Amino acid sequence: MKKIIVALFAAVLVCLPAVTQSKKTKTAKARSFEVSFDYQRQAGPGSNQYAVWIENAKGEVVKTLFVTSYTTKGRVRGNEQPMRGYIKRPNCVPNWVKAAKANDLTDIQLDAFTGATPQANGKQTFTWDFTDQQGKAVQKGTYRVFVEATLYQKSIVTYTGAFSTKDKGGNITLTSKLTEPDEKHSGMVTNVKAVLR
């Protein structure tokens, strides 16, 4: 009888690691989304403007994570009248301006996601917690991230990639589109990455 009990106990022990291992390999759905890139400040006017935002499957902006302050607030010098940067310089992240319907947004609404243009070079990171601009959880489904950068004047690069709220953690494939080559300013935004965590 002792031999049978010992044999059964040994069989259970042999099976335990397999059960434990199968539980470990399960990956939970992602809880946040992160996009990052290396930023290098460029010399001269008409550069250093960028925006990061999320759109739903219908192409509607659900949340702007960041846009540079010149784009939304402009810069007042001397006796100039205040004017939003994208009006004075239409090449300031024009895809974001159109998608976000910037003309319909109040200054207070723009303030919620506007930040200073970085003065120093370095990695820029933005995180999305699956909420809309009002802080409410978004519906399950497919979303698209956009990173748009005005390298210089009409030279604009846009990175984009799609993902789902059902996806597990991992890297998101991004594609890029450049309006006009500008080798001198091409290093402004590089090494763009997106990951679900």
Side-chain angles (χ1 to χ4, degrees):
M1 185 69 163
K2 270 186 175 179
K3 288 181 180 178
I4 294 172
I5 292 171
V6 170
L8 284 171
F9 184 69
V12 168
L13 286 178
V14 169
C15 292
L16 271 178
V19 172
T20 306
Q21 187 177 4
S22 67
K23 285 183 180 178
K24 284 182 182 177
T25 56
K26 285 186 178 180
T27 308
K29 289 180 193 174
R31 294 184 180 184
S32 67
F33 174 81
E34 182 181 283
V35 61
S36 64
F37 54 84
D38 293 330
Y39 170 79
Q40 186 172 6
R41 188 169 175 81
Q42 303 298 300
S47 185
N48 299 307
Q49 304 306 306
Y50 62 83
V52 181
W53 73 97
I54 306 292
E55 292 184 8
N56 61 21
K58 296 177 183 177
E60 301 164 330
V61 175
V62 293
K63 194 164 196 174
T64 298
L65 303 180
F66 184 85
V67 65
T68 45
S69 61
Y70 177 82
T71 298
T72 59
K73 297 180 179 183
R75 185 179 298 121
V76 178
R77 291 179 175 160
N79 294 327
E80 291 178 343
Q81 288 289 89
M83 182 187 297
R84 291 180 178 183
Y86 66 84
I87 295 173
K88 188 170 185 177
R89 287 191 188 143
N91 293 319
C92 284
V93 290
N95 295 311
W96 172 81
V97 170
K98 183 179 178 183
K101 299 177 182 174
N103 284 329
D104 297 338
L105 299 176
T106 66
D107 290 343
I108 293 172
Q109 288 173 315
L110 291 170
D111 280 344
F113 46 76
T114 296
T117 304
Q119 297 299 305
N121 300 338
K123 186 176 181 179
Q124 306 297 308
T125 303
F126 306 93
T127 303
W128 184 47
D129 60 358
F130 300 119
T131 62
D132 63 17
Q133 211 69 60
Q134 290 73 42
K136 296 177 183 176
V138 296
Q139 294 181 350
K140 292 178 182 177
T142 302
Y143 291 86
R144 186 171 287 275
V145 62
F146 290 84
V147 176
E148 180 181 26
T150 300
L151 305 178
Y152 186 73
Q153 303 295 353
K154 294 182 180 179
S155 181
I156 300 162
V157 64
T158 306
Y159 294 85
T160 185
F163 59 95
S164 170
T165 54
K166 297 176 183 178
D167 290 345
K168 297 173 182 177
N171 293 329
I172 303 300
T173 302
L174 298 175
T175 58
S176 65
K177 183 179 178 182
L178 180 66
T179 57
E180 289 184 12
D182 187 322
E183 290 301 317
K184 186 177 178 182
H185 300 89
S186 62
M188 179 187 148
V189 169
T190 58
N191 198 27
V192 183
K193 294 180 181 177
V195 61
L196 284 163
R197 298 194 182 281

